[in-house]
Amino acid sequence: EGAVVVDVRTAGEYKGGHVRGSKNIPLNQVASKMAQLQKLNKPVVFCFASGMRSGQAASLAKSKGINCINGGSWSSVARAQKS
């Protein structure tokens, strides 16, 4: 509810399917985009193919004071969004 979904897969993987309305910020760019995420002033749900790397992104964001969770796989987040 009001959260921003951030998919941390590569642009190519994202193009193959993603959560409707999500933002694509590849994991290797997440650290440099923290200020941008903080400015959103909304909770963030990170997702990936399996959830491992989205966990890394969530840990980094939490260390910067961002309200976020590891949503796991993007397909699980997409299913939850439809509910």
Side-chain angles (χ1 to χ4, degrees):
E1 294 182 19
V4 176
V5 177
V6 176
D7 190 317
V8 296
R9 295 176 298 151
T10 65
E13 291 170 314
Y14 183 80
K15 287 179 186 173
H18 56 270
V19 176
R20 183 176 41 89
S22 64
K23 296 182 179 294
N24 180 223
I25 303 175
L27 183 61
N28 64 352
Q29 297 175 19
V30 169
S32 65
K33 303 284 185 178
M34 280 297 141
Q36 180 184 346
L37 292 172
Q38 287 170 322
K39 287 179 186 176
L40 294 173
N41 204 27
K42 293 182 177 183
V44 178
V45 176
F46 289 100
C47 62
F48 191 71
S50 65
M52 289 289 289
R53 288 187 236 174
S54 54
Q56 293 173 345
S59 291
L60 177 61
K62 283 181 184 177
S63 75
K64 301 295 183 184
I66 296 173
N67 178 14
C68 64
I69 63 165
N70 174 8
S73 72
W74 74 268
S75 56
S76 295
V77 174
R79 281 192 301 274
Q81 187 182 53
K82 291 178 183 176
S83 317

